[in-house]
């Protein structure tokens, strides 16, 4: 099988690649654009990060791992917390991270911050990027 298509026994080529539909191409272009914007942050060293506390939802993902994976980076004077729900179920977690303000990137919302961190709910397989102001 070729990446850009499959040839059947009748020698007809079918396109199953990234350009197979306008919707798929738009998704790939959107992903590439977002990765380009995030590249300076992603290239920074990882910071130590405490694991989130799971308040609601499954205790593990289908492979037996914790349902939310996190990565903390600092770029300039801002810390960025990447979080991924690897579970097919909704998960509510508390991130034990101190911050003066927490903004959810691309969602135009802020989360209340307490002395023990902040809480958020992630839909199944959701990806979040939090901007943590100090």
């Amino acid at each position: 099988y070729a990446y850009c298509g499959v040839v059947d026994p009748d020698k007809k080529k079918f396109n199953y690649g990234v350009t197979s539909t306008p919707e798929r191409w738009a998704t790939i272009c959107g992903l590439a654009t977002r990765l380009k914007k995030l590249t300076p942050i992603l290239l920074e060293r990882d910071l130590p990060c405490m694991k989130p506390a799971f308040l609601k939802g499954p205790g593990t993902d289908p492979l037996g791992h914790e349902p939310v994976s996190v990565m903390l980076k600092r770029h300039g004077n801002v810390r960025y917390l990447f979080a991924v729900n690897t579970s097919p179920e909704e998960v509510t977690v508390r991130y034990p991270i101190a911050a003066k303000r927490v903004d959810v990137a691309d969602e135009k919302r802020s989360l209340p911050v307490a002395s023990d961190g902040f809480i958020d709910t992630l839909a199944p397989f959701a990806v979040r990027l939090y901007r943590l102001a100090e």
Side-chain angles (χ1 to χ4, degrees):
Y1 292 169
Y3 173 72
C4 62
V6 176
V7 178
D8 72 7
D10 298 326
K11 304 294 184 204
K12 296 178 184 174
K13 189 172 183 178
F14 297 94
N15 184 358
Y16 295 106
V18 297
T19 61
S20 62
T21 66
E23 295 81 13
R24 184 172 290 166
W25 181 245
T27 298
I28 293 295
C29 289
L31 178 60
T33 300
R34 181 156 182 170
L35 284 173
K36 182 178 178 182
K37 289 179 186 176
L38 292 174
T39 296
I41 300 165
L42 292 169
L43 290 175
E44 299 286 356
R45 292 180 185 263
D46 289 358
L47 298 175
C49 181
M50 293 182 68
K51 294 179 182 180
F54 300 99
L55 306 177
K56 183 179 176 188
T60 62
D61 68 9
L63 297 176
H65 302 283
E66 293 182 348
V68 176
S69 296
V70 295
M71 176 176 63
L72 185 62
K73 303 276 191 173
R74 178 187 303 279
H75 184 68
N77 294 327
V78 180
R79 289 178 300 158
Y80 295 88
L81 179 67
F82 294 79
V84 179
N85 179 4
T86 56
S87 166
E89 299 178 45
E90 183 177 271
V91 176
T92 300
V93 296
R94 175 184 295 112
Y95 301 101
I97 297 174
K100 288 185 180 176
R101 179 181 170 98
V102 175
D103 295 317
V104 183
D106 299 327
E107 293 187 26
K108 297 183 180 177
R109 67 183 176 106
S110 295
L111 298 172
V113 182
S115 60
D116 59 350
F118 64 97
I119 296 173
D120 199 12
T121 299
L122 289 83
F125 305 114
V127 176
R128 288 274 163 69
L129 175 57
Y130 302 100
R131 203 171 11 258
L132 311 172
E134 297 182 49

